[in-house]
Amino acid sequence: MSANVQTVQSIYQAFGTGDVPTILGKMAAEVDWEYGSVPNGVPWLQARRGPEGVAGFLGAVGANLEFEKFEVKELLGGERVVVALLDLALRVKTTGKRIAERDEAHIWRFDEQGRVLWRHHAPPHDRRRPAGGDPDRGWPPPRPRPS
């Protein structure tokens, strides 16, 4: 197993136990989290930079999502990239709606020192509605009007 595959494996293990310092310790100072993301209104699917951005992502995940399943099925490694395939099932805390993904791809890119430079996963388009928003209007979900 390559060093980069081991790094990604350790990040997922740390995620599973809530070990944020270990996750942040694997990030390059210039990590580009959710690169290529477009503004979408979903709090946990925002483009972020630096370890502080990764911490913001982890905080948004904890505040908004409840995981029912988080299974890393495959880790495929190249020289400076690792692709992980995962099965996920979760509920959005604010709406109670469920999101399920099969074979969601996470792409991890590394610098010469083996620190994470980029991380990206499935597009958020199918996640806006379970998050409680309209796919065309984004987050936050509209609040019901008092009767």
Side-chain angles (χ1 to χ4, degrees), residues 47-139:
R48 301 171 195 270
R49 298 225 8 114
E52 65 284 347
V54 176
F57 162 79
L58 295 168
V61 165
N64 291 284
L65 303 176
E66 182 178 314
F67 284 89
E68 299 168 354
K69 180 179 187 177
F70 188 93
E71 178 186 353
V72 180
K73 296 184 343 180
E74 298 284 342
L75 292 173
L76 312 166
E79 186 176 333
R80 292 196 24 209
V81 66
V82 174
V83 176
L85 296 178
L86 296 90
D87 285 351
L88 305 173
L90 52 99
R91 290 200 184 278
V92 179
K93 292 178 181 179
T94 56
T95 66
K97 293 184 181 176
R98 189 169 187 265
I99 298 172
E101 295 283 346
R102 184 172 179 196
D103 289 333
E104 178 171 290
H106 293 189
I107 301 167
W108 302 84
R109 295 198 178 269
F110 292 84
D111 66 11
E112 292 85 15
Q113 290 77 41
R115 295 170 302 173
V116 175
L117 278 174
W118 293 334
R119 191 267 192 177
H120 180 71
H121 71 276
H125 309 295
D126 60 338
R127 294 192 178 180
R128 290 186 195 166
R129 195 170 307 283
D134 182 318
D136 298 321
R137 294 186 12 213
W139 191 272

Side-chain angles (χ1 to χ4, degrees), residues 7-29 31 33 50-59 61 70 108 110 114-117 119:
T7 296
V8 171
Q9 189 173 45
S10 72
I11 290 170
Y12 285 125
Q13 288 170 342
F15 180 80
T17 61
D19 184 356
V20 174
T22 292
I23 295 169
L24 298 181
K26 306 288 185 188
M27 301 297 132
V31 63
W33 197 263
E52 65 284 347
V54 176
F57 162 79
L58 295 168
V61 165
F70 188 93
W108 302 84
F110 292 84
R115 295 170 302 173
V116 175
L117 278 174
R119 191 267 192 177

